[in-house]
Amino acid sequence: DRTAVRAPMKKRRIPARNWLMLIALLPGLGGCAIPAVADPRAVGGLQFLDDRVLRADDGPLRIPAGGLSEVAAVDAMSPEGCERFVFIVDDREEKYGPARALEAELIFDLARHRFSVGDRRWRFLATATAPDVVRPAIIDGEALRVDRRSGLFIWASEGDTWRKSMPGIFESTPDGVLRRAFPLPAVFVPDRPGAPGAGVRPNRGFEALDVDVDGRRIIFMNEDSLAQDGAAGAPGEGPPVRVTVMNRQTGDMLGQHVYRLDFFPDPPRGDLRGGTGATGAVSMLWLEDGSYLVLERAFRRDAGVRIRLYHADPAEADDVRDQWSLAGWHGRAARKTLLGDLLAAGLRADNWEGMAFGPDLPDGRKTLVLVTDDNFNQLFQSTIIAWIALPSFDEVRARRPAQ
């Protein structure tokens, strides 16, 4: 039963100047004509369990619930089936208040494969700053994880390079004190506002990060290739994304390797204006053996939307931390294996951007909680929380790599 958490939000009139922006956004629940690009043969053992829709008025303090770009688990599930999650918001503090995350209680019925949404509250990320910490001028929250040992939030902002606000990775307390801004390796820093010749490109910054179980290391990846790294490699090699491991205490870079994105559409189509593009890496989860999961989202108005989940193993990948540019680089990237096509598994065709581990099922399977980002799109009203079950990781590792 795919139901809303509460009554549907009231319809609002959309100013004419906003229609062009809305048309460009991803599809939602309102009968959008953008098709799902799904391969029924690529379900890969994923099982859709349940989902719930959040409406704008489900947000506490009359702040709309929307713009949710990532989800992170706060604590383990209680004996009553309750588990707390936080969902970071990406409205750049321009619409409904300070940089924030929605904390929500999800109540799971493991036997019936159902969940409901319980109490909700806002967690603000930077209402105060520690000494010697400079608050970014623009916060565009895209990635978030919680260090379960300390309760601290580790999060990323894409900033706004057009307005000279740089992307960054930060640490905050749950009550909103910005404690730290981590140093970024020079390779990520844009060399000029707008369309840079080097560094992170506009709106293609850090949407995926995680913290290891000890809270000592941070892993992060840019959504798309850096400006100096080029769009693709040899034929069949997707754009190179840098996956970086950082020492959380010192901020030193411990290693960096390449993860290659998929092309979209694939195979290429000659009838599309601008040719074939790439997907974006919008979320990641670090596993204890050093491998990780990646959520790849692809969208074009003229080609549709595709959402895939991959397992990546960097054990044999080359270290590229000393490579300023990856243009023309043909080294060894992370071994990439498709776990499954999420839309083929039953998720709605929408702007899926975040994922976190949910509670294990009685049969031992791992699960994911996923969230869509509606970009405060009142036309589509699509903020969705979903719950899926994963196949065995042993079975996944035995599959043939995707690249």
Side-chain angles (χ1 to χ4, degrees):
D1 179 20
R2 301 186 177 188
T3 58
V5 175
R6 291 171 56 190
M9 63 182 176
K10 297 178 181 179
K11 295 183 179 179
R12 300 180 184 178
R13 183 176 180 180
I14 303 171
R17 64 180 179 274
N18 290 342
W19 277 102
L20 183 60
M21 177 186 72
L22 293 177
I23 291 173
L25 295 174
L26 287 175
L29 307 179
C32 179
I34 303 294
V37 179
D39 183 355
R41 300 166 298 176
V43 174
L46 297 178
Q47 181 185 357
F48 171 82
L49 301 175
D50 198 10
D51 68 7
R52 290 292 180 269
V53 178
L54 290 180
R55 303 300 187 188
D57 57 3
D58 288 314
L61 304 177
R62 297 187 178 181
I63 299 175
L68 308 184
S69 291
E70 182 59 283
V71 53
V74 177
D75 50 24
M77 189 179 70
S78 72
E80 295 76 29
C82 301
E83 187 170 351
R84 290 184 300 149
F85 293 83
V86 284
F87 303 79
I88 198 168
V89 177
D90 67 353
D91 73 350
R92 300 188 180 187
E93 305 180 284
E94 296 173 335
K95 297 182 179 181
Y96 302 111
R100 63 198 179 277
L102 178 67
E103 180 179 300
E105 180 185 66
L106 302 187
I107 302 98
F108 295 94
D109 183 334
L110 300 183
R112 297 179 61 241
H113 295 172
R114 295 288 182 265
F115 77 94
S116 58
V117 182
D119 293 340
R120 300 172 295 283
R121 61 177 294 184
W122 292 112
R123 293 285 190 181
F124 297 100
L125 300 177
T127 51
T129 57
D132 302 322
V133 176
V134 178
R135 188 187 193 278
I138 298 173
I139 296 178
D140 180 6
E142 294 288 353
L144 172 66
R145 289 292 176 248
V146 179
D147 177 0
R148 290 195 179 185
R149 300 195 314 168
S150 65
L152 295 173
F153 291 2
I154 312 297
W155 53 277
S157 168
E158 280 193 321
D160 187 340
T161 57
W162 289 100
R163 292 190 280 176
K164 301 182 181 180
S165 181
M166 295 298 101
I169 299 175
F170 305 91
E171 181 180 282
S172 295
T173 66
D175 56 357
V177 177
L178 182 62
R179 288 169 41 102
R180 189 174 181 190
F182 290 94
L184 279 185
V187 70
F188 294 109
V189 180
D191 60 355
R192 59 176 179 265
V200 172
R201 292 183 283 147
N203 202 35
R204 306 297 268 175
F206 309 121
E207 294 209 5
L209 67 75
D210 204 356
V211 182
D212 69 5
V213 293
D214 295 323
R216 297 177 180 177
R217 296 175 299 161
I218 299 172
I219 188 171
F220 61 92
M221 61 195 302
N222 35 305
E223 181 182 358
D224 201 350
S225 57
L226 301 179
Q228 72 269 30
D229 286 347
E237 290 183 338
V241 167
R242 296 178 186 249
V243 182
T244 304
V245 178
M246 175 190 293
N247 183 307
R248 182 176 166 194
Q249 181 178 358
T250 65
D252 294 336
M253 183 164 51
L254 301 177
Q256 187 179 81
H257 66 269
V258 168
Y259 173 94
R260 288 198 178 274
L261 295 169
D262 286 357
F263 288 110
F264 185 71
D266 185 16
R269 285 171 45 189
D271 60 322
L272 300 180
R273 185 176 180 180
T276 297
T279 62
V282 294
S283 186
M284 71 186 309
L285 288 167
W286 211 356
L287 306 179
E288 290 189 16
D289 65 357
S291 63
Y292 51 92
L293 306 183
V294 178
L295 186 65
E296 287 195 30
R297 175 202 60 201
F299 169 71
R300 290 183 58 133
R301 283 187 59 204
D302 50 4
V305 56
R306 185 183 68 196
I307 311 293
R308 288 178 174 174
L309 182 65
Y310 283 96
H311 174 263
D313 184 352
E316 298 180 0
D318 294 331
D319 194 309
V320 297
R321 74 181 100 174
D322 295 326
Q323 296 279 343
W324 175 255
S325 172
L326 297 176
W329 180 85
H330 303 300
R332 293 175 299 177
R335 182 180 184 267
K336 177 178 173 180
T337 306
L338 179 65
L339 265 75
D341 184 313
L342 295 182
L343 303 187
L347 269 69
R348 313 184 199 211
D350 215 297
N351 185 22
W352 294 97
E353 282 207 0
M355 64 178 177
F357 281 115
D360 292 352
L361 294 178
D363 61 12
R365 283 183 295 167
K366 300 291 185 182
T367 71
L368 293 181
V369 173
L370 300 107
V371 68
T372 64
D373 179 4
D374 68 346
N375 291 298
F376 294 99
N377 178 354
Q378 301 294 339
L379 179 63
F380 296 132
Q381 305 178 19
S382 53
T383 297
I384 312 169
I385 301 172
W387 187 29
I388 67 170
L390 299 176
S392 159
F393 286 139
D394 289 338
E395 185 271 328
V396 169
R397 292 185 181 97
R399 296 180 190 173
R400 181 177 179 180
Q403 291 183 353

